[in-house]
Amino acid sequence: MRLVSILSLALLPLSALAAKKTPGGKFWNFQSKALQSSPVKLNDASYEELTTAPRDYSAVILLTAVEARFGCQLCREFQPEWDIVGKSWTRGDRQGATRTLFGTLDFADGKNTFQKLMLQTAPIILLFPPTTGQGAKADAQPIRYDFTTGPRTAEQIYPWITRHLPEGPQPPIYRPFNYMRLVAVTTVLLGAISFLSIAAPYLLPLIQNRNLWAAISLIIILLFTSGHMFNHIRNVPYVTPDGKGGVQYFVGGFSNQLGLETQIIAAIYGVLSFATIALALRVPRMTSSSRQQVMVFVWGAVMFGMYGFLMRVFKIKNGGYPFRLPPF
């Protein structure tokens, strides 16, 4: 009997030291699990243990249903972001100074809890404030966050969590480096460089062709000056009936326009531009003077006629316009 007493006294300091190194309580039990894998994966029993009052800590729990059989696309999209939140907090608070725990309860592991809370949708986040100690609240009911606006990122959900936690340190969000994105970008860049190095002898003459760029610029200018963007912004009709069984190609007023009207105006501008280019570039290069004279009269007549038609269209748009050119 005396020997047992002596052994008990000898082991008492060791037991006290062990108790000091491994603090008891629910928080330290779940904190040790969080250090291994955060957020802590819960089931009905562990959820009940974690959330039951009294609590001298905060618990932030995601209730979700990530398995494909449940058909929750939002759950699967948000899960990686939630893991970033939990891992970032545990990484910045390994000593448990904030006394905050993050957990995840999947419907497959917590059907009884979902039924008890009468949850019809997922995911949702429940934040359980402490009921004792620093930052304690008399109301033990959790604060609920519903995903009414679609998927959220870790950076978007983080301010809501920290706003409802007691004052104290707040570990920053740490988003791990995306090596897959680096590999994908590197592969695309190397592929583009390889393609350009092989195709350069064929592409450079095309890119450096002044006539090609002049044609592209001319097409863009004609497209936008004819009212193409107006049609897209206003979503105008292509044609309208004229009340006599036919259709109208032009409508009066500068705030009105038709789709076919835009195409006709673009064609007029195109003919006038081509005629101007022909007179400025093609005709002077002709070796025959008689042919030059003929082409000058031909292209001049084309410009005169098209400009007269353009003025006629302008008079339709603005009935008070007094000028005209024959034959329109």
Side-chain angles (χ1 to χ4, degrees):
M1 191 71 174
R2 185 177 180 182
L3 179 61
V4 173
S5 301
I6 294 174
L7 290 175
S8 300
L9 291 175
L11 293 174
L12 184 61
L14 296 176
S15 62
L17 182 61
K20 184 177 180 181
K21 287 184 178 180
T22 57
K26 292 188 295 182
F27 174 78
W28 294 110
N29 179 30
F30 282 99
Q31 176 67 7
S32 62
K33 296 179 180 179
L35 292 175
Q36 299 174 6
S37 177
S38 182
V40 179
K41 189 174 181 180
L42 305 174
N43 54 30
D44 285 324
S46 56
Y47 174 87
E48 188 70 20
E49 179 185 359
L50 179 63
T51 59
T52 301
R55 299 183 302 270
D56 60 348
Y57 54 86
S58 301
V60 191
I61 302 173
L62 172 69
L63 290 94
T64 185
V66 296
E67 293 188 16
R69 56 178 171 152
F70 301 129
C72 182
Q73 181 66 25
L74 179 59
C75 297
R76 292 192 292 272
E77 292 179 0
F78 180 68
Q79 188 63 45
E81 299 297 317
W82 178 248
D83 291 340
I84 289 175
V85 174
K87 287 180 172 60
S88 298
W89 195 280
T90 303
R91 181 186 182 192
D93 184 33
R94 301 189 66 85
Q95 303 301 322
T98 63
R99 300 193 69 79
T100 303
L101 297 168
F102 286 80
T104 302
L105 178 63
D106 192 274
F107 180 75
D109 303 319
K111 295 180 181 179
N112 294 334
T113 301
F114 275 75
Q115 293 174 359
K116 180 180 177 180
L117 297 175
M118 294 184 292
L119 297 179
Q120 300 296 327
T121 60
I124 66 167
I125 298 175
L126 296 180
L127 191 152
F128 293 83
T131 58
T132 60
Q134 183 180 2
K137 294 185 178 181
D139 186 6
Q141 294 301 315
I143 305 169
R144 175 168 170 164
Y145 182 90
D146 291 285
F147 292 77
T148 56
T149 58
R152 312 292 286 177
T153 64
E155 289 78 10
Q156 291 173 323
I157 205 69
Y158 188 77
W160 178 86
I161 295 174
T162 56
R163 187 168 63 249
H164 292 92
L165 292 177
E167 294 185 0
Q170 299 175 353
I173 289 291
Y174 170 75
R175 189 173 289 275
F177 188 78
N178 193 337
Y179 290 98
M180 290 302 297
R181 178 177 294 180
L182 175 63
V183 172
V185 171
T186 304
T187 303
V188 171
L189 287 177
L190 291 176
I193 293 172
S194 301
F195 172 78
L196 291 176
S197 61
I198 296 173
Y202 306 98
L203 293 177
L204 282 177
L206 192 64
I207 295 174
Q208 296 173 349
N209 192 308
R210 295 172 57 187
N211 294 332
L212 174 64
W213 287 107
I216 294 174
S217 301
L218 185 60
I219 292 172
I220 294 174
I221 292 171
L222 294 177
L223 191 65
F224 285 97
T225 55
S226 62
H228 177 73
M229 285 305 300
F230 183 93
N231 293 349
H232 276 275
I233 295 172
R234 298 292 186 89
N235 195 23
V236 300
Y238 189 68
V239 292
T240 57
D242 61 357
K244 301 177 182 179
V247 295
Q248 283 184 321
Y249 302 118
F250 304 97
V251 291
F254 294 114
S255 60
N256 302 315
Q257 190 169 280
L258 299 175
L260 183 58
E261 176 184 336
T262 300
Q263 296 177 3
I264 294 174
I265 295 298
I268 294 173
Y269 287 163
V271 173
L272 289 172
S273 302
F274 188 76
T276 304
I277 294 171
L279 285 173
L281 300 178
R282 300 297 298 273
V283 174
R285 296 177 183 176
M286 293 181 179
T287 56
S288 174
S289 59
S290 59
R291 190 178 179 185
Q292 276 187 340
Q293 291 178 358
V294 172
M295 296 308 298
V296 167
F297 282 113
V298 170
W299 288 118
V302 170
M303 291 183 66
F304 186 86
M306 295 306 298
Y307 194 69
F309 182 61
L310 183 62
M311 293 183 68
R312 175 60 180 169
V313 173
F314 190 78
K315 187 174 179 60
I316 296 175
K317 304 295 290 184
N318 182 11
Y321 189 68
F323 304 106
R324 58 180 293 271
L325 284 176
F328 300 101

